[in-house]
């Protein structure tokens, strides 16, 4: 089942962008764990659109209705199920496509796979709307990880060519964002990014960027060798976030420019603890955590729904033509995607922690 993942913690996502609702089932959370739903809501609010000139005008309450799994604020061992209503849909915007395939969307691939029966309204099951139940499960896992001493921090590393400061891979300065804060380390760079995204929106175009994320406090030995290693488990869930096109850990691709003598993480003793002087491995060696911060970067492509005229094929008439996309779209998905990145990694890491 492509919409389900996890080993000890099994996650099932369901719904479509313009269906009556969508949701998630989380099976495998131990009984007796405290969950603060108000904190979950604050996390979901960071993902919400309709708040500024560089996000979609679609605005939903995105308040979860928890159907099972909690007694008061405590897990009871039953699957935790939460659903969300889709209230602010405008499916008529997609009727205007009239058979035109949207460039860089799933339209053509899904049309062929599902013999023309796919739901194209809002992108159907391929929509970024499906990151909402993922964020619910991630918000829950972030709380469960924190109860075991694991903290998450992230920021926008770049929008287009505009670059924020990068994390110190060894010494992560933890940063928790409020829903209305712009998530960068350097506020001045953030203002430049906002101005750039606002201008891109006025032009009817879009832009992508990179999110940098770190988890601290993860014990040594989390992860399984070969195919259930930390990198592969995080990457598997991460690529379920639409627009994600790449991920790198620690030094990442920059490491190819260095020699082993420069790239290797030398060990040293800090009291009775073994640590590394650098963290170019991103806290992972042999696919297993080594106690250093787990640090990675995720590349997100420009939003494919733009208002500029584009060339396409009409699959009903089998003709080439030009058309304009209508509807409500993000000129840059990166700010709203940042909590999705945290959520995807948190779910994968908590599952691996349960394995350990």
């Amino acid at each position: 089942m492509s919409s389900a993942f996890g080993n000890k913690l099994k996650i099932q996502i369901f719904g479509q962008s313009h269906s009556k609702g969508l949701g998630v089932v989380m099976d495998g959370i131990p009984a007796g764990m405290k969950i603060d739903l108000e904190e979950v809501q604050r996390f979901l609010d960071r993902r919400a659109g309709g708040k500024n000139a560089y996000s979609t005008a679609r605005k939903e309450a995105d308040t979860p209705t928890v159907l099972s799994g909690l007694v008061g604020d405590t897990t009871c061992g039953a699957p935790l199920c939460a659903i969300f209503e889709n209230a602010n849909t405008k499916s008529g915007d997609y009727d205007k496509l009239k058979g035109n395939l949207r460039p860089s969307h799933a339209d053509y691939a899904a049309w062929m796979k599902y013999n023309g029966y796919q739901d194209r309204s809002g992108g159907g099951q391929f929509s970024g709307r499906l990151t909402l139940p993922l964020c619910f499960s991630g918000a829950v896992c972030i709380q469960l990880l924190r109860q075991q001493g694991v903290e998450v921090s992230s920021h926008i590393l770049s929008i287009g060519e505009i670059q924020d400061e990068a994390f110190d891979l060894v010494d992560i300065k933890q940063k928790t964002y409020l829903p209305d804060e712009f998530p960068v380390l350097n506020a001045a760079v953030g203002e430049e990014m906002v101005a750039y995204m606002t201008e891109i929106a006025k032009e009817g175009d879009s832009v992508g960027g990179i999110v940098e994320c770190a988890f601290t406090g993860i014990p040594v030995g989390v992860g399984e060798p070969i195919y259930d290693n930390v990198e592969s488990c995080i990457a598997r869930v991460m690529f379920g976030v639409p627009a994600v096109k790449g991920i790198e850990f620690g030094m990442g691709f920059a490491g190819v420019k260095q020699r082993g003598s420069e790239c290797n993480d030398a060990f040293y003793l800090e009291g009775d603890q073994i640590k590394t002087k650098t963290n170019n491995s991103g806290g992972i060696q042999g696919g297993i955590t080594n106690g250093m911060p787990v640090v990675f970067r995720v590349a997100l492509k420009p939003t494919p729904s733009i208002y500029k005229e584009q060339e396409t094929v009409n699959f009903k008439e089998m003709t080439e033509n030009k058309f304009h996309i209508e509807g409500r779209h993000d000129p840059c998905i990166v700010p709203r995607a940042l909590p999705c990145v945290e959520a995807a990694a948190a779910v994968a890491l908590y599952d691996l922690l349960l394995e350990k």
Side-chain angles (χ1 to χ4, degrees), residues 17 43 51 76 84 102 167 212-213 229 254 262 273 318:
S17 179
F43 187 90
K51 297 187 292 187
C76 62
F84 298 84
R102 294 170 296 170
F167 279 141
E212 186 175 45
C213 188
N229 63 66
E262 299 171 300
Q273 289 189 317
M318 290 304 290

Side-chain angles (χ1 to χ4, degrees), residues 43 46 142 145 151-157 165-169 172-175 177 183 185 210-216 218 234 238 247-250 279 282-284 293-299 337-346 349:
F43 187 90
R46 291 170 54 202
I142 285 171
L145 286 168
E151 297 283 351
V152 61
S153 188
S154 65
H155 69 111
I156 297 173
L157 183 61
E165 300 169 8
F167 279 141
D168 180 324
L169 298 183
I172 304 295
K173 304 296 184 185
Q174 297 294 343
K175 173 68 175 174
Y177 298 104
L185 301 182
I210 297 174
V211 166
E212 186 175 45
C213 188
F215 285 78
T216 59
I218 299 178
I234 290 177
M238 198 64 66
I247 185 169
E248 63 176 14
F249 292 83
N279 189 26
I284 306 163
V294 172
V295 187
F296 58 91
R297 272 154 249 105
V298 176
L338 185 139
C340 305
V341 169
E342 290 183 12
L349 286 170

Side-chain angles (χ1 to χ4, degrees), residues 157-206:
L157 183 61
S158 68
I159 297 289
E161 303 243 342
I162 304 173
Q163 192 88 11
D164 189 21
E165 300 169 8
F167 279 141
D168 180 324
L169 298 183
V170 173
D171 184 18
I172 304 295
K173 304 296 184 185
Q174 297 294 343
K175 173 68 175 174
T176 301
Y177 298 104
L178 297 173
D180 293 328
E181 285 188 318
F182 193 74
V184 289
L185 301 182
N186 187 317
V189 173
E191 292 176 3
E192 188 178 352
M193 288 178 176
V194 169
Y196 180 58
M197 290 187 294
T198 303
E199 185 59 35
I200 289 288
K202 291 177 182 177
E203 295 174 6
D205 216 332
S206 65

Side-chain angles (χ1 to χ4, degrees), residues 17 48-49 58-63 85-89 129 132:
S17 179
R58 179 174 178 175
K59 192 171 184 178
E60 301 267 15
D62 289 348
T63 301
E85 180 185 7
N86 283 332
N88 188 10
T89 59
R129 181 87 178 135
L132 177 58

Side-chain angles (χ1 to χ4, degrees), residues 10 14 32 34 37 66 101 103 110 123 136 169 183 186 219 238 256 258 262 276 287 298 313 322:
K10 297 187 183 296
F14 60 89
K34 298 289 185 181
L37 289 178
V66 175
L101 298 171
F136 175 89
L169 298 183
N186 187 317
M238 198 64 66
V256 303
Q258 296 193 343
E262 299 171 300
T276 60
V298 176
V313 166
K322 296 181 180 180

Side-chain angles (χ1 to χ4, degrees), residues 43-104:
F43 187 90
L44 297 176
D45 289 344
R46 291 170 54 202
R47 179 204 161 277
K51 297 187 292 187
N52 44 56
Y54 54 84
S55 69
T56 175
R58 179 174 178 175
K59 192 171 184 178
E60 301 267 15
D62 289 348
T63 301
T65 299
V66 175
L67 301 182
S68 65
L70 289 180
V71 177
D73 64 351
T74 306
T75 60
C76 62
L80 176 58
C81 178
I83 60 172
F84 298 84
E85 180 185 7
N86 283 332
N88 188 10
T89 59
K90 291 187 177 181
S91 299
D93 289 339
Y94 295 87
D95 295 337
K96 298 172 185 176
L97 292 172
K98 298 178 180 177
N100 289 311
L101 298 171
R102 294 170 296 170
S104 289

